[in-house]
Structure formats: structure tokens, C-alpha cells
Amino acid sequence: MSDTNSFTYNLFQKPGQTNGSVECLGLTFENDAARRAYFLEKLREKLQDPEFRKIAGFTLGKDDDILALSDPPYYTACPNPFLQDFIRVYGKPYDPTVHYHKEPFAADVSEGKSDPIYNAHSYHTKVPHKAIMRYILQYTQPGDIVLDGFCGSGMTGVAAQMCGDPITVKGLGYLVDKDGLISDERGVPLSQIGARHAVLNDLSPAATFIAYNYSVPVNVDAFHLAAKKVLTDVADELGWMYETLHTDGKTICRINYTVWSEVFACPSCSHEIVFTEEALDKTSGHLRDEFACPNCKALVTKDGLELLFDTSIDPFTGELAKRPKRIPWLINYTLGKNKYEKKPDARDLEVLRRVDGLSIPKEIPLLKLPPMQMGRVGRVKTVGITHIHDFFLTRQMHSLASLWRHAHQYPDLTTRNFLLFFVEQAIWGLSVLNRYSPSHFSQVNRALSGVFYVASQISEVSPWYNLENKLDRLVKAFQEKSRFSGRASIVTTQNLGNLALAADSIDYIFTDPPFGENIYYSDLNILVESWHKVRTA
């Protein structure tokens, strides 16, 4: 039903293009900004409809926050009211007279998880997009519409686009002739080179925001410059928080990370035990099952120790709050090309006191954790985490708030969203979930997967230590993706059971359903969603 030339122009519009006419769902706009303004206003009107908000799985958030996160019609952080228009423009009427026959896909699929695009953003579970490509190529043709109702981070959308990239298709072991005909290794014709369209749905706006950024064309150079500026601006604002003196007593260096240790009481003499100091085997980097109290020399185990708490007025709630007693135990920093470690000195402790005296940034989410399984058991309960801000030490709060604020200030929406896509990956790593692991080379992304677990030793990394290498990897990944990026996908955020799609409108469904109660997606995603101010219902 769609015009082929219109499809081609829209699909291969230059990434991030804002000048020149733009065609979208059969309408022509002066530029992409005009397209966005038009559909944002349509979405704003739709949000005023009480019946629209009754759709099952409707996200929790204010209208302005939903609109700020959305880029309609391609992505809405709520049920997407433009799905039918997308199908009307890009779909093909079902013709029962056309015979469709495909041999079942019976090969073993094993794709590694080291691909730069796959690793451009972390998510709790993902299917490698190159594995999904094999199914799409087996069962569909260019221009077909593929639905993934549990899209997660959107790998099906990436796979649908990559079916239009001969280099990637050949890399899977397929043969591609000069006319774009794809054959398997035996020479049996299979499919045709060309992007497929994807309809991506998930209940979680944390997931669909990732899926959207994977599917949208991005000006990689513009993003790279903007991201470097964000990191520089944060350094100008907060760099003093991460300065430490070298052991020569005069050279100022930048901290990579600070190790914080919980403090316990000895069951025999009540002496305070700095856990990391006594339990960590400095040679092997592993924790001892049993160690001696430094005061009475009694042998103790962690299970036999009493965790000590500090009690103070929570500046967010105004109520008394108990936090585990933690002390900065070790500082890792860089001087030139070398890394050094030292115990925090008086200057370091004074910097931390100064940070503690600052006003709380307005960007920090003020949200009490809803009832959740991980809030009732485990270390979240043990260490007294009741609100989102409890996941962060004070310096971490300021760092994330600064990153978030500077990313939000970028004027172009596509680049701004991709900056947030970049920055939000530091939320877990700049939280108390980031465990200190001396046996690992890097202290980035040390959170225990699939659960909120707060260790007794925390690695508080600087924002640059966390994100600078990530930036380089993102640029590499999306330079590769820019070969075939286009507006070939539409993303919606809602309950799959209420997807507004007509019968016979989808050519192929690929789905990797969530694993029941094995992973608490909504519990885990609330940490990121709280910063976007749009949450899973």
C-alpha cells in the first residue's frame, strides 16, 4: 500500500537530518522538527482522553514527562496511537490467493554476545540481534512487518534493519548475489536483501526507550561531540569532588574510584570492625570466610557480625533514617599513565564532608519504592533502602544529577535522547549496587545481574571512569549501524494484550517472552525509570 520511492527516501534520510522536507506516515513536513512538533501535539491531545489512559499497562507519569521522552509517531512512552497509521503506510493487504511456504528453520543458532551493537546498552536479558536475523531472513521479505511484543532492548528492531545490510548478512554465512538475492550455504534461495519494518512493544518505558534509540538514525559525530562536552561540563562543575593528592603531597590527581566498606561490631567485644580491612585477602583479592577481630582476636564470620548504622534526618523525607555505617577505605587514582592506590587522607575526608554539606540536586528522583519482592527480602531490606535516593551515596547523587542535567540541555531531541541513552547506563554503576571486586581489572558495571544487591564493599567510581570508555564503544557501534539506520520501526509502551492492531496486519512475529518470576523486570527497571519520571504500570 505504500509508495516505494517514499519509503526509500524516508528510510535513508540522513541520520539526525533537520533540514529539508521529511515524509512521515504519508504526510510531508518542512523538516524533522516540524514533523516532531505536529505529532507531539497529536499525542498531547490524545493524552487528554480519559479512555486512552484506561488502556491496560498505561505508563505511570505526567503528560509533560511522557511527551518529553517520546518522539512520535516512531516512539511513545505510552500506548502508541499511531500504530494503525504505520500499518496503513507500510503494510500490505493480506492476499489469501498468494501461496506462502517456508521450510521450518531447523538449524542451531549460536551467536556470540561480543558484538559492539549488541553491547551498546546493557539490559537484563537480550537475544543477540544476529540470531534474530536468521529467523527474519528465513520467513520474511523486504518491507514485511515484524512484531515483537516483548521487545526488551529492541534487538528485533535492530535485526529487521540489518536485513538490509549485505555486509552483515554475508557475515552470517549467507550468499548474496548482485541483485540482492540471499541463498544459504548450499545455494538454495532464501530471501532478499532489504530492511523489514518492526513493531516493537514492551510494558516498560526503560526497555522501549532503549529500543527506540537502537532504531532511530543518529548523527554519530554530533553525538560524540555532545557527549564529550557533557563529560567536560561535569568535570568543570564537579571535578573538585574527585581530586586527591598523590603520595608526594603536592600533585593533584583525578580519582578513578573510592572503595567504601561497611562497619560491623564484634560479637565478642563490640569493637568496630571495618569489614574490608579485616575480611579481604589482599593477595588473592577474595574475602575470607573467617577472620580475626583486630581488638580481641576472636575469630568471626560475617554472618556473626552486627551491621552498624548511622541515624540522621533524611533531607528528602525530613524523617529519621538509618543508613549502614560506611567509611572510605581506599582510593584508586591516575597520575600520567599510571594508576596508584592509597588510604584516604585528611584532605580526602574534608572533600567528602564538603560534598555532604551541599544542597541536594533537584534532578534526584523523590520516589518511595513500591511494594516489590526485592524490597521485602535480601540486602535492600537489610541496609534500609526505602526510596530511590537510598541507592546513591551523596557524591554519586551529585554526579548523576549533573550528567542528567547537562544531557537534558542539548537542543536537538534525537541527540538529546541518545545522550540520555548514554548517561542512563551510569545509573547502576554510580550507585551502591556497584560492588568492589579487587580481582577484576575494571570496577565498572560490577552490579550483580538481575537483582538489587548491596555488597559490604562498594566501588564508588567517578563519572569519567564509568563513561569515557563506554563512549568510545558506543561511537564504534553506531558508526557501524549508521550504514543501515532508518525509520523502519515503531515503538509502543503498553500491555501486549491491548495492542491496537487489526487482524492480518502483521507478516511475522518474533518473540522471546519474559521468564516469569525468574527476573523481576519492573523491580529492576524502576531505578532507571525514576530518572525519566515515566514508570512501568
Side-chain angles (χ1 to χ4, degrees), residues 419-432:
L419 287 173
L420 294 175
F421 172 89
F422 166 59
V423 167
E424 72 175 21
Q425 298 188 61
I427 292 175
W428 281 66
L430 290 179
S431 76
V432 296

Side-chain angles (χ1 to χ4, degrees), residues 15 123 129 170 176 195 226 244 295 309 353 398 400 452 458 530:
Y123 196 65
H129 53 280
K170 289 178 181 178
V176 181
T244 190
N295 182 57
F309 288 83
R353 281 192 289 268
H398 285 279
L400 278 172
F452 287 146
I458 297 163
S530 62

Side-chain angles (χ1 to χ4, degrees), residues 352-528:
L352 291 172
R353 281 192 289 268
R354 183 180 166 193
V355 173
D356 283 336
L358 297 175
S359 300
I360 298 298
K362 62 181 177 60
E363 290 82 7
I364 305 299
L366 305 179
L367 178 67
K368 185 175 182 179
L369 292 181
M372 60 171 63
Q373 175 66 10
M374 284 189 287
R376 292 187 286 268
V377 298
R379 288 283 291 178
V380 168
K381 181 178 181 180
T382 302
V383 301
I385 291 178
T386 59
H387 293 71
I388 290 294
H389 64 269
D390 294 330
F391 282 100
F392 308 100
L393 302 176
T394 308
R395 188 162 52 181
Q396 293 174 326
M397 290 188 199
H398 285 279
S399 295
L400 278 172
S402 181
L403 287 165
W404 205 254
R405 181 169 60 255
H406 286 293
H408 259 290
Q409 289 171 351
Y410 199 82
D412 175 68
L413 182 137
T414 301
T415 303
R416 179 168 70 246
N417 277 343
F418 207 70
L419 287 173
L420 294 175
F421 172 89
F422 166 59
V423 167
E424 72 175 21
Q425 298 188 61
I427 292 175
W428 281 66
L430 290 179
S431 76
V432 296
L433 300 170
N434 200 54
R435 303 166 294 160
Y436 175 51
S437 181
S439 59
H440 288 80
F441 173 75
S442 171
Q443 298 304 312
V444 176
N445 297 331
R446 301 309 319 157
L448 191 63
S449 178
V451 66
F452 287 146
Y453 177 76
V454 184
S456 292
Q457 43 186 10
I458 297 163
S459 182
E460 182 211 3
V461 301
S462 78
W464 309 280
Y465 182 83
N466 185 287
L467 285 173
E468 282 180 340
N469 288 335
K470 166 62 75 173
L471 175 58
D472 293 338
R473 293 192 295 271
L474 267 180
V475 169
K476 178 181 177 181
F478 279 82
Q479 281 175 337
E480 178 182 343
K481 185 176 177 294
S482 65
R483 294 199 311 266
F484 48 87
S485 288
R487 295 285 194 176
S489 300
I490 189 168
V491 184
T492 183
T493 313
Q494 63 186 97
N495 187 318
L496 178 61
N498 294 85
L499 208 58
L501 292 175
D504 299 329
S505 61
I506 298 296
D507 297 298
Y508 179 66
I509 297 175
F510 179 89
T511 187
D512 178 41
F515 307 135
E517 293 188 352
N518 290 340
I519 296 180
Y520 302 98
Y521 289 98
S522 59
D523 289 9
L524 296 170
N525 286 344
I526 195 173
L527 191 58
V528 171

Side-chain angles (χ1 to χ4, degrees), residues 258-396:
T258 301
V259 179
W260 291 76
S261 173
E262 287 182 342
V263 180
F264 293 81
C266 173
S268 298
C269 68
S270 299
H271 182 79
E272 290 191 357
I273 296 176
V274 179
F275 179 76
T276 308
E277 179 67 33
E278 306 305 331
L280 181 65
D281 185 321
K282 313 304 189 292
T283 303
S284 68
H286 298 295
L287 295 173
R288 302 183 182 95
D289 293 330
E290 190 177 56
F291 51 92
C293 168
N295 182 57
C296 69
K297 309 305 179 185
L299 290 179
V300 297
T301 63
K302 185 180 180 182
D303 290 341
L305 298 175
E306 176 191 355
L307 179 61
L308 298 180
F309 288 83
D310 289 324
T311 303
S312 61
I313 298 295
D314 187 319
F316 289 88
T317 65
E319 301 174 352
L320 278 178
K322 292 174 62 178
R323 303 283 186 272
K325 186 171 184 177
R326 300 184 178 105
I327 66 163
W329 178 76
L330 180 76
I331 291 177
N332 179 290
Y333 63 96
T334 296
L335 175 59
K337 295 183 178 180
N338 299 317
K339 293 182 179 179
Y340 299 87
E341 293 185 343
K342 71 170 197 176
K343 294 292 184 181
D345 57 31
R347 184 184 185 279
D348 299 316
L349 298 178
E350 177 55 34
V351 168
L352 291 172
R353 281 192 289 268
R354 183 180 166 193
V355 173
D356 283 336
L358 297 175
S359 300
I360 298 298
K362 62 181 177 60
E363 290 82 7
I364 305 299
L366 305 179
L367 178 67
K368 185 175 182 179
L369 292 181
M372 60 171 63
Q373 175 66 10
M374 284 189 287
R376 292 187 286 268
V377 298
R379 288 283 291 178
V380 168
K381 181 178 181 180
T382 302
V383 301
I385 291 178
T386 59
H387 293 71
I388 290 294
H389 64 269
D390 294 330
F391 282 100
F392 308 100
L393 302 176
T394 308
R395 188 162 52 181
Q396 293 174 326

Side-chain angles (χ1 to χ4, degrees), residues 74-145:
Y74 303 113
Y75 168 56
T76 59
C78 64
N80 196 322
F82 308 106
L83 285 178
Q84 293 288 9
D85 294 323
F86 185 86
I87 298 296
R88 172 180 54 79
V89 172
Y90 292 125
K92 300 183 296 292
Y94 173 63
D95 185 352
T97 65
V98 175
H99 177 67
Y100 175 87
H101 174 76
K102 291 285 185 178
E103 293 295 325
F105 186 81
D108 291 332
V109 175
S110 178
E111 292 292 340
K113 298 183 178 181
S114 59
D115 185 272
I117 296 175
Y118 176 85
N119 288 314
H121 198 298
S122 57
Y123 196 65
H124 319 303
T125 61
K126 289 190 290 187
V127 177
H129 53 280
K130 290 183 179 179
I132 303 173
M133 284 181 67
R134 296 181 182 276
Y135 292 92
I136 295 177
L137 290 171
Q138 175 79 11
Y139 293 111
T140 70
Q141 293 295 329
D144 281 356
I145 295 180

